[in-house]
Amino acid sequence: MRIDGLSLPLARSLLAALPKAVPSFALIEGETRPAQPMTAAPTCSMTSVQMLVTLAAAQDGVERRRRVAREASRGLDALDRLHDEMLAGAPSIERLREIADWAQSAEAPEDPALAKIFREIDLRVRVELAKYDVEI
């Protein structure tokens, strides 16, 4: 089967995608002589162990960010519940304890951007606790 009208870059891309067992042919109109073998771009020669270690290191960073996000979300959720209770009247002792426990157990992340956000949440928690004379 012959397909005419393909642009040269598209034809080369399609030929490069063929399995290595299929010989590539020249893309000059009317010729079917074998072309120079196309070589792939040099790839990184990592062993499977190196790739696994690299993936594991990347996963640690992702998992660490997820843990920080969960912890920050827990603090924000506690603040939201406190706000809801304040609108309804006075907050419960359990809510104040929950927020105080969060402030004591929360650890600031190493990432500067995340640490800044975390500090802002922590400051808001401490301000709310100070309104009710709760010390951490």
Side-chain angles (χ1 to χ4, degrees):
M1 182 168 126
R2 182 179 173 117
I3 300 174
D4 294 325
L6 290 177
S7 67
L8 190 58
L10 180 59
R12 283 190 180 157
S13 298
L14 290 173
L15 284 175
L18 289 175
K20 299 297 180 202
V22 177
S24 60
F25 290 91
L27 299 174
I28 302 171
E29 181 112 9
E31 288 189 31
T32 56
R33 63 180 171 82
Q36 296 294 330
M38 297 179 126
T39 59
T43 59
C44 182
S45 61
M46 295 178 85
T47 64
S48 60
V49 174
Q50 288 172 325
M51 287 190 300
L52 289 174
V53 169
T54 303
L55 286 173
Q59 290 297 332
D60 286 345
V62 169
E63 184 57 36
R64 194 175 320 122
R65 289 178 69 89
R66 283 187 187 140
R67 189 173 50 248
V68 167
R70 277 193 304 267
E71 193 64 27
S73 179
R74 191 171 69 94
L76 288 174
D77 290 343
L79 280 172
D80 283 341
R81 288 189 293 272
L82 176 69
H83 180 71
D84 292 343
E85 287 182 9
M86 286 174 31
L87 291 175
S92 66
I93 298 297
E94 292 82 27
R95 188 69 55 226
L96 294 173
R97 281 189 187 136
E98 176 187 10
I99 292 176
D101 290 343
W102 181 86
Q104 288 176 340
S105 66
E107 297 178 16
E110 296 172 8
D111 183 346
L114 292 175
K116 181 181 177 189
I117 295 169
F118 212 81
R119 283 192 305 269
E120 290 175 9
I121 296 169
D122 186 54
L123 176 64
R124 188 70 208 158
V125 164
R126 291 177 187 274
V127 166
E128 294 300 326
L129 290 174
K131 288 180 183 177
Y132 297 98
D133 294 325
V134 177
E135 294 184 24
I136 301 174

